[in-house]
Amino acid sequence: MIKEIICDKCNKKCILGIDKYDDSIEVSGNLCNIGEEYANFKINNNKDIFTTLVRIKGANSNVISVKSTKPLDKKLWVECSKALSRLYVGAPMRQGDIVCKNILNTGVDIVSTKTMVRINK
């Protein structure tokens, strides 16, 4: 088995087992045809929403969760992580605020996924 994923395309929430043989894939665990289509999409698609943490100053926490606004090629995820590891943002941050615009010249922005207020010391 190459991968196990949870299909969220219908209310059954099947756990799909995916095996790949040459150019074809075999899907097990699906209770409907939508699961097979979803597995094909996931195994052949090289893009997904990138999520990580960025350091923040002046807040109750040391990090804030962030995500990409559009799917990013998975080959770029390590480089994106390296670029964001050098970054500090300052509180306050609101959900949806841009943390990094046009990361690695991909046209994709990185935004915060939660609100952090500034603490006064």
Side-chain angles (χ1 to χ4, degrees), residues 55 79 81-88:
R55 293 178 285 191
E79 291 302 316
S81 293
K82 287 179 184 177
L84 292 172
S85 72
R86 294 183 233 120
L87 187 67
Y88 276 93

Side-chain angles (χ1 to χ4, degrees), residues 8-94:
D8 58 0
K9 294 300 175 186
C10 70
N11 60 358
K12 295 176 185 170
K13 306 291 185 225
C14 305
I15 298 174
L16 306 176
I18 304 171
D19 289 309
K20 191 167 186 174
Y21 304 104
D22 297 326
D23 292 336
S24 64
I25 69 164
E26 185 178 302
V27 181
S28 60
N30 57 311
L31 299 176
C32 65
N33 290 337
I34 297 171
E36 196 166 330
E37 293 170 13
Y38 181 70
N40 273 313
F41 173 76
K42 283 303 243 183
I43 205 77
N44 293 323
N45 189 10
N46 258 357
K47 290 186 174 187
D48 209 348
I49 297 293
F50 173 71
T51 61
T52 190
L53 299 172
V54 171
R55 293 178 285 191
I56 187 168
K57 290 184 178 181
N60 284 335
S61 178
N62 294 331
V63 292
I64 187 167
S65 58
V66 296
K67 70 173 190 161
S68 60
T69 55
K70 298 177 190 169
L72 266 174
D73 193 335
K74 291 179 182 177
K75 292 178 184 174
L76 297 174
W77 284 14
V78 171
E79 291 302 316
C80 288
S81 293
K82 287 179 184 177
L84 292 172
S85 72
R86 294 183 233 120
L87 187 67
Y88 276 93
V89 294
M93 289 288 291
R94 291 191 334 231

